[in-house]
Amino acid sequence: MRTLIVAVCLLLPLTAEGAQIFEKVGTLGGQSLKIGVGARAAAMGDAYVALADDATAVYWNPAGIARLSGQSVTLNHTSWPAEILFDQAAYVFNIKWIPGMLGVNVRALTMSRDIVRTTYLPDGTGDTFDAGEWAYGISYARSLTDKFSAGISANYVQTGLADVKGKSTTFDFGTLYDIGLLGAKIGMSIQNVGSDMTFLNEKVKMPTFFRVGGSVNLLQRGDSRVLTVAEFTHPSDNSEKVNWGAEYAFHDYLFLLTAAHRVSVNVSF
């Protein structure tokens, strides 16, 4: 009996914390907006807000595109089980008479058409349907000083299931600051702030994200470079998370990356 009481006392805090972690999961719309883009960002554990030095910055931190020059393009394609596809494309450019950089991007989570089935016609009615979520965005960023840049993105988001549609307009804001020592930078972004999406006469909120992080060059010797990044993320529908990543680069053509995530009390690699 004493053993049972001790076990219950030990389990209660964990159960309460677990319930707190998952109490808001699945309560918001626009879930595809939470999917990160770019192989490098994924390999660094999604700790990218303070790095954001390529065209994928339109997603992670729009302030990052202010550091680019000329034109930059990124294309990403992911194939998931059940024939679900995630695609993303971004184009960053500048116009001579507009100070700063501009970017346009599109994201799409789609599935192949499936058969409409009912209780009485389990083999299909002869009709088909599809589902997906699309986001179209435009970004603008500018370096306000030689160390500080800021950016903003506006996104049009649309969700579809068969003939039912939902739409929303969201905004992302970001800043990036060079500390000036060891290439260290501090980045911050707020994502998906905007209007609720109306779907089947029900209003659902968008998954707002707050990210803040830092990056630093630990080693720069000859053709070798070691970069590390860390990021704190606060989503509106889950618990806070700390991401960490590191990258070893040799002559800018060989890259080795590692990452880790820490969520509440458990760590996974």
Side-chain angles (χ1 to χ4, degrees):
M1 184 65 179
R2 182 180 302 174
T3 304
L4 178 60
I5 294 174
V6 171
V8 171
C9 292
L10 290 173
L11 287 174
L12 278 176
L14 296 178
T15 304
E17 185 167 4
Q20 185 177 3
I21 292 174
F22 295 107
E23 63 181 353
K24 296 180 290 184
V25 172
T27 60
L28 305 182
Q31 291 295 298
S32 70
L33 300 178
K34 298 163 58 176
I35 302 174
V37 299
R40 186 186 183 204
M44 299 187 79
D46 289 349
Y48 214 63
V49 69
L51 195 53
D53 58 0
D54 53 35
T56 63
V58 296
Y59 172 81
W60 298 103
N61 184 353
I65 66 173
R67 312 300 179 90
L68 304 180
S69 60
Q71 305 179 65
S72 299
V73 176
T74 181
L75 301 170
N76 295 280
H77 172 77
T78 306
S79 180
W80 289 346
E83 299 183 1
I84 296 175
L85 303 177
F86 178 71
D87 296 280
Q88 184 268 346
Y91 172 52
V92 177
F93 60 97
N94 68 308
I95 299 176
K96 292 182 179 180
W97 47 273
I98 298 179
M101 299 293 290
L102 295 167
V104 291
N105 74 92
V106 59
R107 283 172 279 165
L109 182 70
T110 58
M111 58 170 281
S112 60
R113 298 192 68 85
D114 204 351
I115 300 171
V116 176
R117 308 173 192 270
T118 67
T119 303
Y120 300 105
L121 295 171
D123 294 327
T125 63
D127 297 325
T128 60
F129 75 98
D130 62 359
E133 195 159 68
W134 303 263
Y136 310 91
I138 181 169
S139 305
Y140 173 72
R142 182 179 178 182
S143 293
L144 303 179
T145 70
D146 60 339
K147 295 182 179 295
F148 180 77
S149 61
I152 182 174
S153 296
N155 308 287
Y156 173 76
V157 185
Q158 179 175 298
T159 297
L161 174 61
D163 296 327
V164 182
K165 306 293 183 183
K167 59 183 180 180
S168 174
T169 301
T170 67
F171 297 90
D172 305 335
F173 307 91
T175 60
L176 196 58
Y177 178 72
D178 288 339
I179 295 177
L181 178 66
L182 297 176
K185 294 185 290 185
I186 297 175
M188 183 275 293
S189 73
I190 301 175
Q191 298 173 288
N192 308 322
V193 178
S195 62
D196 295 345
M197 177 181 289
T198 301
F199 195 83
L200 290 175
N201 297 321
E202 294 288 338
K203 287 189 175 182
V204 293
K205 295 184 179 298
M206 294 292 98
T208 304
F209 265 76
F210 171 74
R211 303 176 187 270
V212 61
S215 65
V216 62
N217 288 322
L218 295 180
L219 173 68
Q220 183 76 56
R221 183 175 300 170
D223 294 328
S224 297
R225 182 183 75 248
V226 176
L227 171 73
T228 185
V229 292
E231 176 179 313
F232 170 81
T233 303
H234 176 76
S236 57
D237 63 345
N238 212 318
S239 62
E240 293 80 7
K241 180 169 60 175
V242 176
N243 300 329
W244 172 85
E247 175 188 76
Y248 168 75
F250 177 75
H251 210 272
D252 286 337
Y253 65 79
L254 174 64
F255 297 89
L256 301 176
L257 301 99
T258 185
H261 303 274
R262 181 176 179 86
V263 184
S264 187
V265 296
N266 50 59
V267 181
S268 59
F269 294 89

